[in-house]
Amino acid sequence: MQGLMQDWPLLLHKIIDHAARQHGSQEVVTRSVAGPITRTTYGAIRQRTLRIAKMLAKNGIRLGDRVATLAWNTDKHLEVWYGICGLGAISHTINPRLFPEQIAWIVNHAEDRLMFLDTTFVPLMEKLAAHVPTIERYVVLTDAANMPQTSLRNAVAYEEWLKETDEDYVWPEFDERTAAGLCYTSGTTGNPKGVLYSHRSNTLHAMTATSSDGLMIDYRDSVLPVVPLFHANAWGLAHAAPMRGAKLVMPGPKLDGASVYELLEAEKVTMTAGVPTVWMMLLDHLRRNNLKFSTLQRLGVGGSAFPESLIRTFEENYGVDVRHAWGMTEMSPVGSTGTIKSTLGQLTHDETMALKAKQGWALFGIEMKITDDDGRPKPWDGRAFGRLKVRGFATAAAYYRGDGGNILDEEGFFDTGDVATIDPHGYMQITDRAKDVIKSGGEWISSVDLENIAVGHPDVAEAAVIGVAHPKWDERPLLIVVPKEGKSPQRDDVIAFLRARTAKFWVPDDMQLIKEIPHTATGKINKLKLREIFKDYKLPEG
Ligand code: ADP
């Protein structure tokens, strides 16, 4: 027997409709690409999303067509995003930090028909235009006065384009499983792969990922997503803020410590989220200028491990609750957060900090398992590590156009490519990417663990650990360190610091200094590049 409840498809435009109805005067504040701070409301944004959808339809965009965006976090990007998927087209957010050839590759792979882009990216697309023939029109996210001279095909200033129509438009109804967004993984090995979100998966993901178990936001919050819309839906924040009526503060292109701090304070931000490198820049700015936060309560961080020493700095020195989250593009992206369960009883401060450094427990809608290479389950004892596999309502079942073939095991789990432990309370800890784990004498050494410990050393700003070939042990760890400004960390001193905090055979054989650690387009340590830089490096004898 079926239930007798209404069929109310989970469509993303219902989020912006709800925001306009219930929180119509709530603000969306932007540091615009042109520079000035601009202000609008959910009510006004909804009117513009209707206009966008109507105008896209007039330009021939239909259900299922791909529309690209190459833009920073702004109110314009947000409204375009809702307009595209409201129409039933697919919003393909492109990461501008990818190499130009990769951008061309994914535009062609997605067969994008129209592109919205910030003025900043006009020169880039002019160079690529000849290689991306599927794009019929470029809409530059600016007004007539600021429109650059450009050779881009059918280029038009966004505000002029919007004037060609009105908001007399009714959202079409379609199945909630319809594709809404397309986001490519960064493809450090092989070509990038397209992850195709649905209206249903994005709606459910936003509800759980930003609930109190997760990144936690509601109508009392002022939310600043430093994490870009092009990095897996800004981790659900751009859906959840209007869904819950939170004020949204969009940082535009300026993500340096000073600019982020200025916005956090000026807009009374209570919750912000981004990758560790952004928070390191912010901390540096705070320290140099002896600053504190006056309103910030919570900091969401993920994309790479956030070391305990940094969690402590935010919690102990600045009174900010750190929500360390783990996930991936294929998971929409949030999978787990390290909030403290009440069933753990009374924990000491040190125990709490150590627990928060783990990647946390799976949110509702995610099932996890760890297995050996043959798929046999490993125990949840906090020690055994295995390949981390997941399934759930917002996890990819396949890549766009079937790339990579069948990506699920016989139980429907997706292999994340991460290696992890899970403790008896369900707290998961990433020990490595499977391809970065260091195999030494038949044992595995976690490069992430060593990096987290090394940044706790007072002279170390950032650290990376890679495996280097060794005649006897196969591989041994090499520690690579960026010194803090004005400091010169000594090899023996840093190695001794690690020796005091880890198993003997994990201790790196050597340390090298580097001015800057290379990062990927999503802010992760670029180990491929590091291995290339150190390819001729030889470990000391002995
Ligand atoms: P990419 O496009 O670079 O794959 P993702 O954000 O999808 O970007 O990358 C997902 C990967 O990032 C995860 O599989 C994991 O290795 C790493 N990651 C994400 N969050 C964390 C975290 N909190 N700690 C450690 N690693 C993380």
Side-chain angles (χ1 to χ4, degrees):
M1 190 186 295
Q2 296 228 313
L4 290 171
M5 304 313 284
Q6 296 182 7
D7 197 6
W8 193 83
L10 301 175
L11 298 175
L12 291 170
H13 62 250
K14 292 184 179 180
I15 295 178
I16 204 73
D17 286 352
H18 170 78
R21 265 195 312 269
Q22 298 298 337
H23 311 282
S25 59
Q26 182 59 283
E27 275 189 308
V28 177
V29 181
T30 299
R31 187 194 294 282
S32 64
V33 174
I37 302 287
T38 62
R39 289 173 188 278
T40 181
T41 61
Y42 285 131
I45 284 190
R46 178 185 182 258
Q47 294 305 94
R48 285 166 65 93
T49 58
L50 292 167
R51 226 174 233 263
I52 293 158
K54 189 168 177 182
M55 204 42 219
L56 283 169
K58 205 168 148 191
N59 282 184
I61 302 295
R62 302 276 173 264
L63 191 86
D65 283 345
R66 275 76 62 208
V67 176
T69 66
L70 193 60
W72 302 112
N73 280 8
T74 64
D75 53 345
K76 290 187 172 59
H77 195 180
L78 184 79
E79 64 199 21
V80 154
W81 207 49
Y82 278 102
I84 297 168
C85 56
L87 171 74
I90 300 167
S91 145
H92 173 203
T93 45
I94 301 175
N95 185 340
R97 299 190 186 112
L98 295 173
F99 292 117
E101 309 80 67
Q102 277 181 317
I103 293 179
W105 191 92
I106 63 177
V107 168
N108 284 319
H109 191 265
E111 297 179 293
D112 295 321
R113 290 190 56 199
L114 187 144
M115 177 182 278
F116 291 96
L117 69 165
D118 280 333
T119 49
T120 343
F121 303 121
V122 167
L124 169 68
M125 287 316 297
E126 282 174 340
K127 281 200 203 97
L128 292 180
H131 306 289
V132 289
T134 60
I135 300 186
E136 298 155 29
R137 158 156 258 188
Y138 292 85
V139 181
V140 183
L141 293 166
T142 188
D143 53 16
N146 292 295
M147 178 70 178
Q149 268 293 338
T150 172
S151 58
L152 288 174
R153 195 176 302 132
N154 292 320
V156 59
Y158 178 58
E159 298 298 339
E160 293 303 301
W161 181 76
L162 280 179
K163 279 185 196 152
E164 287 178 42
T165 192
D166 55 41
E167 54 240 21
D168 179 17
Y169 182 77
V170 180
W171 298 121
E173 283 267 329
F174 40 81
D175 191 285
E176 65 181 17
R177 288 172 183 77
T178 304
L182 179 61
C183 193
Y184 282 76
T185 62
S186 51
T188 38
T189 48
N191 284 325
K193 293 190 198 67
V195 179
L196 193 59
Y197 307 114
S198 71
H199 284 258
R200 173 187 153 83
S201 70
N202 272 350
T203 308
L204 291 172
H205 170 265
M207 287 165 74
T208 53
T210 60
S211 68
S212 50
D213 298 354
L215 297 173
M216 186 173 169
I217 67 168
D218 71 22
Y219 59 90
R220 289 163 291 196
D221 284 310
S222 169
V223 176
L224 192 159
V226 177
V227 52
L229 283 170
F230 55 76
H231 193 186
N233 303 310
W235 301 351
L237 293 170
H239 295 129
M243 186 187 272
R244 301 234 166 78
K247 173 176 167 180
L248 201 50
V249 183
M250 300 297 247
K254 288 196 164 165
L255 305 178
D256 60 283
S259 305
V260 170
Y261 180 76
E262 188 186 291
L263 268 188
L264 290 173
E265 288 298 300
E267 299 305 327
K268 300 189 166 40
V269 170
T270 55
M271 192 275 170
T272 182
V275 295
T277 47
V278 170
W279 305 135
M280 290 181 199
M281 287 193 288
L282 180 63
L283 268 185
D284 189 50
H285 177 72
L286 292 173
R287 281 201 196 106
R288 279 165 195 273
N289 300 285
N290 200 16
L291 300 167
K292 293 272 180 202
F293 299 116
S294 37
T295 54
L296 189 66
Q297 296 167 12
R298 286 182 310 288
L299 181 97
V301 57
S304 310
F306 201 51
E308 186 181 328
S309 55
L310 291 179
I311 296 178
R312 279 180 181 270
T313 307
F314 273 101
E315 299 244 350
E316 294 165 4
N317 302 1
Y318 298 99
V320 175
D321 172 14
V322 175
R323 301 259 161 145
H324 188 192
W326 165 87
M328 56 196 316
T329 304
E330 287 89 336
M331 298 174 71
S332 302
V334 183
S336 65
T337 52
T339 46
I340 308 297
K341 295 181 184 176
S342 60
T343 44
L344 294 175
Q346 207 53 36
L347 298 181
T348 64
H349 179 67
D350 285 352
E351 285 168 338
T352 305
M353 292 299 109
L355 205 53
K356 281 197 166 192
K358 291 194 174 192
Q359 280 73 7
W361 43 282
L363 297 167
F364 174 71
I366 310 276
E367 291 173 65
M368 283 183 181
K369 66 177 178 182
I370 43 175
T371 75
D372 64 16
D373 285 345
D374 299 322
R376 281 186 298 261
K378 294 266 203 161
W380 289 24
D381 61 8
R383 286 192 305 277
F385 44 107
R387 302 185 77 97
L388 177 62
K389 299 179 181 172
V390 291
R391 68 177 179 195
F393 56 59
T395 297
Y399 288 111
Y400 185 51
R401 293 175 149 199
D403 288 353
N406 175 25
I407 58 170
L408 305 183
D409 70 9
E410 56 289 350
E411 290 178 320
F413 281 77
F414 167 76
D415 188 334
T416 63
D418 286 331
V419 176
T421 61
I422 305 180
D423 74 15
H425 301 289
Y427 285 78
M428 181 273 288
Q429 182 162 27
I430 299 282
T431 54
D432 244 318
R433 290 294 290 169
K435 59 186 186 321
D436 296 334
V437 84
I438 298 161
K439 298 192 172 108
S440 178
E443 298 279 355
W444 286 10
I445 297 176
S446 160
S447 64
V448 175
D449 252 20
L450 294 174
E451 289 157 6
N452 286 346
I453 299 171
V455 292
H457 187 284
D459 297 346
V460 173
E462 203 181 354
V465 175
I466 55 171
V468 176
H470 189 280
K472 181 164 170 207
W473 304 111
D474 292 338
E475 273 186 335
R476 288 296 304 156
L478 167 68
L479 172 67
I480 300 158
V481 154
V482 180
K484 274 206 181 130
E485 210 180 280
K487 306 275 180 182
S488 36
Q490 297 299 308
R491 172 191 183 279
D492 290 351
D493 178 44
V494 179
I495 300 277
F497 182 85
L498 282 153
R499 189 172 295 118
R501 290 165 177 82
T502 189
K504 189 158 168 261
F505 83 98
W506 281 34
V507 178
D509 284 22
D510 196 14
M511 180 184 101
Q512 294 279 299
L513 295 179
I514 195 167
K515 245 176 88 186
E516 197 182 334
I517 285 178
H519 289 98
T520 67
T522 47
K524 299 177 205 312
I525 294 175
N526 190 338
K527 299 236 167 143
L528 218 63
K529 192 74 186 282
L530 271 180
R531 282 187 206 110
E532 218 175 276
I533 297 174
F534 287 92
K535 71 177 189 309
D536 297 326
Y537 167 85
K538 294 260 175 314
L539 288 167
E541 303 271 325

